Amino acid sequence: MTTVYDVARAAGVSTATVSRVVRGSDLVRPATRERVLAVIEDVGFVPDASAQGLSRRRKDIIGLVAVERGHGPTDIERTSLLFVDQLVHAVEAVLRGSDCSLLLSFGRPGEAFQRRIRALSGKVDGLLVVEEALPAGQVEVLARRLPVVTIAGGAGEPGADAVRVDNARGMRALAAHLMDGHGCRRLAFAAGPADAPDAAERLAAFCAAVRDRAGVEAGSDVGAGPGAAGAGAGAAVDVVPGGDFSEASGRAAATVLLDRAARPDAVACANDQMAIGVMREFLRAGVRVPGDVAVTGFDDIFPGRIVEPPLTTVGQPSRDLGALAATRLLERIDGRAGPPRAELLPTELVVRRSCGCTDRGRP
Amino acid sequence: MTTVYDVARAAGVSTATVSRVVRGSDLVRPATRERVLAVIEDVGFVPDASAQGLSRRRKDIIGLVAVERGHGPTDIERTSLLFVDQLVHAVEAVLRGSDCSLLLSFGRPGEAFQRRIRALSGKVDGLLVVEEALPAGQVEVLARRLPVVTIAGGAGEPGADAVRVDNARGMRALAAHLMDGHGCRRLAFAAGPADAPDAAERLAAFCAAVRDRAGVEAGSDVGAGPGAAGAGAGAAVDVVPGGDFSEASGRAAATVLLDRAARPDAVACANDQMAIGVMREFLRAGVRVPGDVAVTGFDDIFPGRIVEPPLTTVGQPSRDLGALAATRLLERIDGRAGPPRAELLPTELVVRRSCGCTDRGRP
DNA sequence: TTGTATGCGTTATCAC
DNA sequence: GTGATAACGCATACAA
């Protein structure tokens, strides 16, 4: 391994000068710089980041930790990667404008993953925590030692910045479209993982929106399906729990729904992959989408555009989410920052055909 | 920032003992260990990775550098992420069994990216180079300082291990299926980026396979299309260049093909995303797939299973590719290794409906 | 089993 | 402009 000493000797200067040249300081005579640069090129010197980090108290690395979903190798292999991958690319794109690199780690929530994250925190200047990769309390602990920004996590851990999307707003728009636009009355919801804040918010917002809307109509029979949870008020949603954001779990939810005495006329899903699974299973069973039942997703991922029928969904700005989080983190690392902020990005209804609309509007 | 010194003082031991406890050495009396552990927990000590790296001459970080494709934000946003993302997840999964973390960097081939990679190489113990993120010569230079494994790159840079998939074999199987199984004679190929070794191999292998097959038939008119390059021998493929692995570039290729006097009866594509783009554009123009023309891809990504018609393609074991590369790199870093190896993973024909087959076989 | 002392490669604070 | 030199936080050879 060649070091600054080797370069200094070969160039006939001190290590201090080499360091200056490497770091682009302008307190060095051009002639000297050229000479040093030539040697560096010649011997192929690359500064050791560990030594730099130790000396400068700055590693120029940020970490991103996220939940890995899906069960088997097959499932992980082909699905469920999209949201977090978009984040990764967005974050990396921001980092390209700095000297920072992105270190990442995926895992299932639990002791082991927490230990891993803890060790990882020693390698970075700041951390991006996606969803519930870390329980809320742990985030706070971490944030005491390190700048932390949560993405799609809880509403705001003390001490950490948070960037999220407005799940509720998107779901309200969706519920309105389904009920007012298409006259759907027997609503079902294929829920996502209980430990994903986004999933919980989407479910709650959808149910609330349906309830509110149903309340307006006198004697409504909305949600009177057999599996309806808390159907007492006459306005409820047939919630199918147990999903995990994967296409397979969407298919499973559809199977459950297929067995209901009263089939729903609309199924909203926690994300697009589950919606695709639901649609495919319905289609396979001979149930027409959207003819017999409307199906909708959340995220607006690429596959949703190319399935048949194209998926009506709620679009969330995944890339903006990642970019914003990365920018915030960089700010904090650089010291410029105020008190922790929680930011909410907008979502928008993306109407395609799986809800019953045609390419140019309502049916 | 709390250090080993703080912990040592609080626990009434030396820094050496703290270090031993942290690193799990068994030359420490249980009682002492407990005491130290308690203090560590109490003050929330996490060893500084820079200092560890400097002292141990090992950073426990490996890097992955890959080409970022697609043009605009829109395109990058929704497509083209799949292959490299699968690699990332596969690599990360392997690393979970070690103390290593994954550092990654994407970019477009060029000076700037090369500088970035060079700086990055100071932060890691080894490097995974995907496709042509780095020109061949640079890989060799890098490999002199650092263990390097190339993924889907050239056949084998000197000094670096290489893992690739057998593009030729898959393409031969595909050509045979199209020509023998479906009787296709006017073959076209939507080519991928010129700087992607995989893309070049797939194109060359397809053309060669078609030529070989056509040679067998006397007086064959295969590939007599107007755009046929080198149609002299009577066996050629109508190659549409300029693709970049994105769906958009697939649509562009389809537009070109739509203008041909003699339309192809089969279009093979450099990857699945391009194939999806080709299909969608054909369908939009009223050309039936597979009725009027067969379309095939390469990769076997998730969206290919859910488009209509489902995509016939050549499956490549992306995850195995990543896992194998990571394992090799770890081996080299640990010193156990032989001379650089080049490994070729198998591909397999995945027949679905876009080639004209039905769900249970040939039409 | 535990402590002492040195080195790891770079940066930065001083002098010059 | 440039050169000594002292940190930076940890691991380890060697002593005890």
Side-chain angles (χ1 to χ4, degrees):
Chain A
M1 177 187 213
T2 84
T3 73
V4 278
Y5 292 105
D6 303 321
V7 176
R9 190 162 357 96
V13 296
S14 72
T15 63
T17 298
V18 175
S19 179
R20 287 186 191 109
V21 170
V22 169
R23 300 200 53 72
S25 161
D26 49 351
L27 308 94
V28 77
R29 197 194 312 159
T32 313
R33 177 195 310 287
E34 292 313 319
R35 193 150 37 95
V36 173
L37 245 20
V39 173
I40 287 178
E41 208 52 47
D42 192 42
V43 302
F45 168 73
V46 174
D48 182 280
S50 291
Q52 286 183 311
L54 185 54
S55 182
R56 301 180 48 213
R57 291 124 166 285
R58 164 132 184 183
K59 303 173 176 64
D60 279 338
I61 297 178
I62 73 167
L64 181 149
V65 298
V67 179
E68 177 93 299
R69 306 211 176 265
H71 335 262
T74 312
D75 195 62
I76 292 179
E77 184 166 317
R78 334 192 98 116
T79 72
S80 148
L81 307 182
L82 295 325
F83 172 67
V84 65
D85 294 327
Q86 295 211 354
L87 286 183
V88 167
H89 283 269
V91 169
E92 206 281 333
V94 170
L95 263 36
R96 249 174 260 178
S98 74
D99 294 323
C100 258
S101 307
L102 180 60
L103 192 67
L104 47 79
S105 184
F106 303 127
R108 302 180 187 292
E111 284 278 329
F113 194 35
Q114 284 182 37
R115 271 196 304 278
R116 231 181 130 63
I117 293 177
R118 183 172 173 153
L120 188 145
S121 76
K123 299 180 179 177
V124 302
D125 295 323
L127 206 51
L128 262 18
V129 179
V130 182
E131 295 183 337
E132 291 292 86
L134 222 45
Q138 294 297 315
V139 170
E140 191 182 347
V141 171
L142 216 55
R144 282 203 288 266
R145 288 194 308 106
L146 208 62
V148 174
V149 177
T150 66
I151 301 177
E157 317 299 341
D161 292 81
V163 303
R164 300 179 301 141
V165 298
D166 194 343
N167 288 298
R169 198 167 132 73
M171 272 308 184
R172 276 198 299 272
L174 179 64
H177 181 79
L178 253 19
M179 298 180 73
D180 301 348
H182 294 284
C184 297
R185 285 296 174 273
R186 301 187 308 282
L187 291 317
F189 192 94
D195 63 357
D198 273 342
E201 276 186 29
R202 290 168 197 175
L203 170 58
F206 187 75
C207 291
V210 169
R211 206 160 31 233
D212 290 352
R213 219 150 204 91
V216 175
E217 310 173 16
S220 162
D221 67 340
V222 168
V237 175
D238 186 356
V239 176
V240 183
D244 67 355
F245 278 158
S246 72
E247 196 227 348
S249 73
R251 288 201 301 268
T255 305
V256 171
L257 256 13
L258 248 15
D259 280 344
R260 295 277 198 251
R263 297 242 183 100
D265 53 14
V267 183
C269 304
N271 77 343
D272 283 351
Q273 277 139 279
M274 289 188 63
I276 290 171
V278 167
M279 277 203 314
R280 282 161 61 84
E281 188 61 27
F282 276 168
L283 260 14
R284 208 188 54 74
V287 175
R288 292 170 309 154
V289 178
D292 299 323
V293 55
V295 175
T296 68
F298 202 113
D299 278 356
D300 193 18
I301 59 176
F302 174 61
R305 294 193 309 168
I306 60 173
V307 276
E308 189 51 43
L311 192 62
T312 290
T313 188
V314 177
Q316 67 167 323
S318 308
R319 297 203 50 109
D320 297 344
L321 208 59
L324 180 58
T327 306
R328 280 262 171 295
L329 187 58
L330 253 23
E331 280 174 13
R332 280 222 178 277
I333 291 173
D334 283 346
R336 49 192 163 104
R341 280 185 280 182
E343 205 127 3
L344 204 60
L345 264 40
T347 54
E348 59 167 341
L349 184 61
V350 177
V351 176
R352 287 197 275 254
R353 297 209 316 268
S354 70
C355 61
C357 283
T358 65
D359 279 337
R360 37 185 149 287
R362 301 287 156 74
Chain B
M1 178 187 212
T2 82
T3 73
V4 277
Y5 294 103
D6 303 321
V7 175
R9 188 160 359 95
V13 297
S14 72
T15 63
T17 298
V18 175
S19 179
R20 288 187 190 107
V21 170
V22 168
R23 299 200 53 69
S25 161
D26 49 352
L27 311 92
V28 126
R29 194 195 312 159
T32 314
R33 178 196 308 287
E34 293 312 320
R35 193 150 36 95
V36 174
L37 246 21
V39 174
I40 287 178
E41 207 52 46
D42 192 41
V43 302
F45 168 73
V46 174
D48 181 280
S50 290
Q52 286 184 311
L54 186 54
S55 181
R56 300 180 49 214
R57 289 122 169 288
R58 164 131 185 185
K59 303 173 174 65
D60 278 340
I61 297 180
I62 73 166
L64 181 148
V65 296
V67 179
E68 177 94 299
R69 306 213 176 264
H71 336 260
T74 313
D75 196 62
I76 293 179
E77 183 164 320
R78 336 191 96 116
T79 71
S80 146
L81 308 182
L82 294 327
F83 172 66
V84 65
D85 294 328
Q86 295 209 355
L87 286 183
V88 167
H89 283 270
V91 169
E92 206 281 334
V94 170
L95 263 37
R96 251 174 258 179
S98 75
D99 293 322
C100 259
S101 307
L102 180 61
L103 193 67
L104 46 79
S105 184
F106 304 127
R108 302 180 187 293
E111 284 279 329
F113 194 35
Q114 283 182 38
R115 272 197 303 278
R116 229 182 132 62
I117 294 176
R118 183 173 174 154
L120 187 145
S121 75
K123 299 180 180 179
V124 302
D125 295 322
L127 205 52
L128 263 17
V129 178
V130 182
E131 296 183 337
E132 290 291 88
L134 223 44
Q138 294 297 314
V139 170
E140 191 182 348
V141 171
L142 216 55
R144 281 203 288 265
R145 289 194 307 106
L146 208 63
V148 174
V149 177
T150 66
I151 301 178
E157 318 300 340
D161 292 81
V163 303
R164 299 179 302 140
V165 299
D166 193 343
N167 289 298
R169 199 167 131 72
M171 273 307 184
R172 276 197 299 272
L174 179 64
H177 181 78
L178 253 18
M179 298 180 74
D180 300 348
H182 294 284
C184 297
R185 284 298 173 273
R186 301 187 306 282
L187 291 316
F189 192 94
D195 63 357
D198 274 343
E201 276 187 27
R202 290 169 196 174
L203 170 58
F206 188 75
C207 291
V210 169
R211 206 161 29 234
D212 289 354
R213 219 151 204 89
V216 175
E217 310 173 15
S220 163
D221 66 340
V222 168
V237 175
D238 185 356
V239 177
V240 183
D244 67 355
F245 278 159
S246 72
E247 195 227 349
S249 73
R251 287 201 301 268
T255 305
V256 170
L257 256 12
L258 249 14
D259 281 344
R260 295 279 198 250
R263 298 244 181 96
D265 54 13
V267 183
C269 303
N271 76 343
D272 284 351
Q273 276 138 280
M274 290 189 63
I276 290 171
V278 167
M279 277 204 312
R280 281 161 62 84
E281 189 61 27
F282 276 167
L283 261 13
R284 208 188 53 74
V287 175
R288 292 169 310 154
V289 178
D292 299 323
V293 55
V295 175
T296 67
F298 202 113
D299 276 357
D300 193 17
I301 59 177
F302 174 62
R305 294 193 308 169
I306 61 174
V307 277
E308 188 51 44
L311 192 63
T312 290
T313 188
V314 177
Q316 67 167 323
S318 309
R319 298 206 44 111
D320 296 346
L321 207 59
L324 180 58
T327 306
R328 279 266 171 292
L329 188 58
L330 253 23
E331 280 174 13
R332 280 224 180 274
I333 291 173
D334 283 346
R336 49 194 162 102
R341 279 185 280 183
E343 206 127 4
L344 205 60
L345 265 40
T347 54
E348 60 168 341
L349 184 61
V350 178
V351 176
R352 288 198 273 256
R353 298 209 314 269
S354 70
C355 61
C357 283
T358 65
D359 280 336
R360 36 186 150 289
R362 300 288 156 74

